[in-house]
């Protein structure tokens, strides 16, 4: 009996930080599962911020699993991609030549076998590369939020052919938030409002405040648990939540930019990165916020509510910041670092669709990216 046909998906990965490395590990470990599903992912190139490692022949072969495993170990140890040249049949290109080589791969594969360009970086610098790839017929999968949160024209360009792009992991990591919103819209049921707690860090901080703990101590604990960025102000400023909110707002048809979003920072400008070092902020800045946060939490509690840091997208626009919510609501019951999203529409007006679960972490995010890649398989030719 002949072997069943399978879809071969050539992939170029941009960014081999935490999410990118987990993605490569998932691809390698899921080979048997994907083979049973009739799918083969062929990683033909991996790029970091300075160079590109690419297979000798992107048409017929990829970087083998042993090399990908070595790559993950090398990058985890801080070694450059060039250290892998002796590990297999591959070539290395340094920037700016690396960018042109990605475009070469997009040109040769995009209109023949197809190519998936996966962006797991954390920079705006990939947006032109992604747009060029789309022009060459490539598919795009994003964990990187920034290409979708810059100029509205870039967002339009990237999502203009919705069949070829997936960006589930830009909002809520592996949670099916984007898929749920687009499914409701496609059914002809207009989404009127989306409310969500989309920061695992701030979700944890708010739920701990509810227990009467001091804001400064909770933030330091969150940092020690690895929930925050190295500088917690990157979380406390709310910009990461604002980017997720902007993606959702644009998905709902709002032609807005970051300047149109009201973002409440949990620290004043005089304690910002331009004025105070990270060390001083942690040692003496945070405690200055304890009293005001305690008062707000107590005021909410007196009304039977709790504080949550949320984004709210509706007809009145988009807001991001602290909000009192009923203690017995989905947002009010949120504990720890989970994300929760409430989607309201005609069919879900009195009882919203609620999506809740782990919304952060390299492993979870990478799993969401891999699911997006697999979701594109029907666009690729099947081979014996």
């Amino acid at each position: 009996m002949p072997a069943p046909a399978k879809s071969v998906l050539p992939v170029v990965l941009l960014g081999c930080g935490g999410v990118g490395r987990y993605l490569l590990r998932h691809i390698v470990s899921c080979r048997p599962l994907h083979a049973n599903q009739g799918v083969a992912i062929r990683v033909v190139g991996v790029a970091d911020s300075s160079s590109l490692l690419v297979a000798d022949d992107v048409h017929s072969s990829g970087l083998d699993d042993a090399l990908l495993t070595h790559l993950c170990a090398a990058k985890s140890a801080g070694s450059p991609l060039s250290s892998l040249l002796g590990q297999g049949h591959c070539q290395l290109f340094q920037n700016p030549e690396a960018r042109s080589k990605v475009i070469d791969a997009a040109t040769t594969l995009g209109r023949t076998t197809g190519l998936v360009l996966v962006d797991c970086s954390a920079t705006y610098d990939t947006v032109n590369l992604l747009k060029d790839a789309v022009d060459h017929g490539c598919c795009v999968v994003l964990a990187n939020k920034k290409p979708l949160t810059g100029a509205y024209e870039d967002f339009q360009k990237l999502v203009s052919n919705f069949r070829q792009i997936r960006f589930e992991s830009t909002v809520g990591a592996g949670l099916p938030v984007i898929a749920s919103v687009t499914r409701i819209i496609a059914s002809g049921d207009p989404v009127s409002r989306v409310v969500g707690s989309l920061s695992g860090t701030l979700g944890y901080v708010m739920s701990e405040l509810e227990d009467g703990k001091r804001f400064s101590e909770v933030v330091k604990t969150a940092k020690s648990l690895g929930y925050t960025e190295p500088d917690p102000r990157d979380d406390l400023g709310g910009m990461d939540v604002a980017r997720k909110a902007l993606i959702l707002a644009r998905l709902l048809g709002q032609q807005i930019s970051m300047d149109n979003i009201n973002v409440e920072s949990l620290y004043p400008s005089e304690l910002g990165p331009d004025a105070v070092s990270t060390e001083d902020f942690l040692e003496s800045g945070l405690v200055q916020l304890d009293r005001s946060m305690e008062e707000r939490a107590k005021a909410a509690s007196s009304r039977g509510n709790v504080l949550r840091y949320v984004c709210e997208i509706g007809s009145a626009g988009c807001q991001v910041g602290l909000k009192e919510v009923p203690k017995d609501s989905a947002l009010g019951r949120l504990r720890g670092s989970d994300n929760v999203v409430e989607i309201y529409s005609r069919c879900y007006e009195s009882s919203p669709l609620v999506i809740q679960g782990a919304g952060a972490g390299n492993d979870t995010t990478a799993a969401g990216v891999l699911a997006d890649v697999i979701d594109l398989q029907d666009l690729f030719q099947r081979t014996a």
Side-chain angles (χ1 to χ4, degrees):
M1 180 182 294
K6 64 181 178 181
S7 296
V8 178
L9 283 67
V11 166
V12 170
L13 171 64
L14 306 177
C16 43
V19 174
R21 295 195 298 271
Y22 265 99
L23 175 62
L24 294 177
R25 293 186 185 109
H26 285 327
I27 289 173
V28 172
S29 65
C30 289
R31 293 288 187 205
L33 170 66
H34 293 157
N36 288 335
Q37 296 172 342
V39 183
I41 296 177
R42 180 187 295 158
V43 180
V44 299
V46 177
D48 61 13
S49 59
S50 61
S51 54
L52 166 72
L53 193 73
V54 65
D56 282 339
D57 184 359
V58 297
H59 294 280
S60 60
S61 64
L63 304 173
D64 66 37
D65 287 354
L67 176 56
L68 295 178
T69 301
H70 282 299
L71 187 154
C72 291
K75 292 300 295 182
S76 295
S79 300
L81 289 178
S82 58
S83 65
L84 299 160
L85 282 175
Q87 299 288 336
H89 301 289
C90 55
Q91 308 168 68
L92 185 80
F93 300 96
Q94 303 289 342
N95 285 341
E97 188 183 15
R99 183 184 186 281
S100 67
K101 291 299 178 181
V102 174
I103 293 300
D104 287 347
T107 303
T108 57
L109 297 178
R111 301 189 188 281
T112 54
T113 63
L115 176 69
V116 184
L117 196 59
V118 178
D119 187 357
C120 290
S121 70
T123 175
Y124 287 106
D125 296 342
T126 58
V127 65
N128 289 328
L129 183 58
L130 296 170
K131 290 192 295 183
D132 285 345
V134 169
D135 282 338
H136 287 97
C138 297
C139 295
V140 168
V141 171
L142 296 169
N144 182 11
K145 293 178 282 291
K146 293 181 179 178
L148 297 177
T149 57
Y152 183 75
E153 294 74 19
D154 292 338
F155 175 86
Q156 276 187 309
K157 172 72 175 180
L158 290 172
V159 304
S160 58
N161 190 338
F162 210 79
R163 293 179 67 239
Q164 291 177 231
I165 185 169
R166 299 290 186 276
F167 50 99
E168 189 67 76
S169 293
T170 60
V171 179
L175 295 178
V177 178
I178 300 293
S180 298
V181 170
T182 54
R183 182 180 174 86
I184 292 172
I185 293 172
S187 75
D189 182 12
V191 174
S192 58
R193 190 160 62 104
V194 177
V195 183
S197 176
L198 292 172
S199 166
T201 301
L202 297 178
Y204 171 82
V205 169
M206 292 301 115
S207 65
E208 292 293 290
L209 275 184
E210 189 181 333
D211 294 336
K213 298 176 182 177
R214 288 189 300 165
F215 182 72
S216 58
E217 294 306 315
V218 171
V219 172
K220 289 178 182 178
T221 300
K223 186 176 189 301
S224 70
L225 293 171
Y227 290 163
T228 75
E229 295 296 326
D231 185 340
R233 287 171 293 188
D234 291 342
D235 302 287
L236 301 177
M239 288 308 297
D240 184 62
V241 176
R243 292 189 187 98
K244 297 172 184 178
L246 179 57
I247 291 170
L248 289 172
R250 287 176 167 181
L251 196 61
L252 297 183
Q254 297 186 17
Q255 298 185 23
I256 63 173
S257 67
M258 196 65 75
D259 293 337
N260 303 119
I261 300 179
N262 296 317
V263 183
E264 178 185 1
S265 173
L266 297 186
Y267 63 86
S269 57
E270 56 266 28
L271 291 179
D274 293 336
V276 177
S277 70
T278 302
E279 293 74 17
D280 288 342
F281 176 75
L282 289 168
E283 291 304 315
S284 59
L286 268 174
V287 295
Q288 299 176 39
L289 308 176
D290 283 344
R291 184 174 178 180
S292 63
M293 293 300 295
E294 181 183 4
E295 289 174 349
R296 292 183 71 169
K298 285 183 176 179
S301 180
S302 71
R303 291 183 281 269
N305 297 327
V306 292
L307 286 180
R308 293 293 181 259
Y309 194 91
V310 303
C311 69
E312 186 165 9
I313 305 144
S315 58
C318 186
Q319 295 82 36
V320 172
L322 284 178
K323 180 181 176 68
E324 286 189 28
V325 300
K327 193 168 185 175
D328 61 352
S329 66
L331 281 162
R333 292 191 298 269
L334 184 67
R335 303 295 298 176
S337 59
D338 275 7
N339 284 186
V340 63
V341 178
E342 299 175 342
I343 303 172
Y344 295 82
S345 68
R346 184 184 67 248
C347 296
Y348 295 101
E349 188 55 45
S350 58
S351 181
L353 174 63
V354 177
I355 303 165
Q356 180 175 347
N362 293 332
D363 193 355
T364 305
T365 303
V369 172
L370 181 55
D372 272 352
V373 173
I374 295 297
D375 195 44
L376 294 165
Q377 63 178 292
D378 289 344
L379 301 181
F380 288 77
Q381 65 186 30
R382 302 190 78 83
T383 61

